[in-house]
Amino acid sequence: MIAGYILTGGKNTRMNGEKKLFLTYDEMPFYAHIFQAFQILPKTYLSVEAEEPYKALKIPMVQDIYPAIGPLGGIYSGLLRCPEDALFVTACDMPLIDQATVKLVCRYYWQHPGKVTVVKAGGRIHPLFGIYPKSVLLLIGRMVAEKNYKVMNLFTETDVSVVELEQEKTVKNINTPREYEQLKHIVRQKHGTETESF
């Protein structure tokens, strides 16, 4: 079984400390867009550095075992504590993901169950949108122990399935206020008030 797993991020310094999970796009917070995309999955968790900012959402949470070491620590905590066989990981700043893409990645995963499955778009791998099975838990634990915290380094240690996406925009990260303003342009374009510039 695959569960959804949303990495809520750390201090969000590039967004001036504002929690990206709560930013809005097309009149809905980012987390609501991600939940819509994950509706095909039986359960979705939040990966959090602390529970307090997110309690009002009433979403199951997994608190970081090793705070402040980045996404790899969040993935490790989820694989260790969640009962599901694998986690479909996404960053909280990807509000443009959709169910069709989630289904596509899941189909690829079930062709090679037990292998990390991530997407490639715009010529690069996106490690924070993909499926991580429990089979890599010990490997990630070793990386954490060695203070090797870069998620991409995991891919040199294990077999990885890569799903090619036609639309890079689907997995676009909204990291900065400037990118957030560009995202708003998409909404205005969608409603016919502005040309798309993303």
Side-chain angles (χ1 to χ4, degrees):
M1 185 181 296
I2 303 171
Y5 195 70
I6 305 172
L7 299 167
T8 57
K11 297 179 180 179
N12 296 283
T13 52
R14 284 188 287 178
M15 196 59 75
N16 300 321
E18 190 171 0
K19 294 292 185 186
K20 288 185 281 187
L21 193 75
F22 298 118
L23 296 177
T24 58
Y25 159 60
D26 206 8
E27 300 183 348
M28 285 170 42
F30 281 14
Y31 73 83
H33 287 281
I34 297 171
F35 258 77
Q36 278 191 348
F38 276 173
Q39 278 184 345
I40 65 166
L41 303 175
K43 192 169 186 177
T44 296
Y45 301 88
L46 291 182
S47 168
V48 301
E49 75 286 357
E51 293 186 358
E52 188 57 40
Y54 311 101
K55 282 185 175 179
L57 298 180
K58 307 296 184 184
I59 300 169
M61 290 181 281
V62 177
Q63 189 166 348
D64 290 341
I65 297 171
Y66 301 103
I69 68 170
L72 191 72
I75 295 170
Y76 175 78
S77 300
L79 290 175
L80 187 65
R81 290 177 167 170
C82 297
E84 289 79 10
D85 302 316
L87 298 176
F88 198 131
V89 172
T90 185
C92 67
D93 57 6
M94 291 182 171
L96 299 176
I97 67 172
D98 53 42
Q99 281 192 27
T101 306
V102 172
K103 289 178 181 177
L104 176 66
V105 177
C106 287
R107 283 200 303 271
Y108 268 76
Y109 176 78
W110 288 121
Q111 290 173 8
H112 304 282
K115 289 177 64 174
V116 174
T117 303
V118 294
V119 302
K120 183 177 183 180
R124 68 185 185 93
I125 299 291
H126 294 263
L128 299 186
F129 185 75
I131 298 173
Y132 290 77
K134 282 189 181 291
S135 60
V136 296
L137 179 58
L138 291 179
L139 176 56
I140 296 177
R142 189 185 78 202
M143 290 176 63
V144 170
E146 295 171 352
K147 295 182 169 55
N148 180 10
Y149 302 140
K150 191 172 181 180
V151 178
M152 288 293 289
N153 290 346
L154 172 67
F155 303 161
T156 64
E157 302 288 337
T158 188
D159 289 335
V160 178
S161 293
V162 178
V163 183
E164 294 265 4
L165 297 184
E166 294 181 3
Q167 289 285 340
E168 182 181 10
K169 184 172 68 176
T170 306
V171 289
K172 173 69 178 176
N173 297 96
I174 309 302
N175 283 313
T176 65
R178 180 177 179 273
E179 289 172 345
Y180 188 35
E181 283 302 314
Q182 290 176 326
L183 180 69
K184 293 176 183 177
H185 292 172
I186 292 179
V187 177
R188 291 193 284 268
Q189 188 273 338
K190 180 179 177 180
H191 295 293
T193 58
E194 187 172 317
T195 58
E196 185 172 346
S197 60
F198 214 34

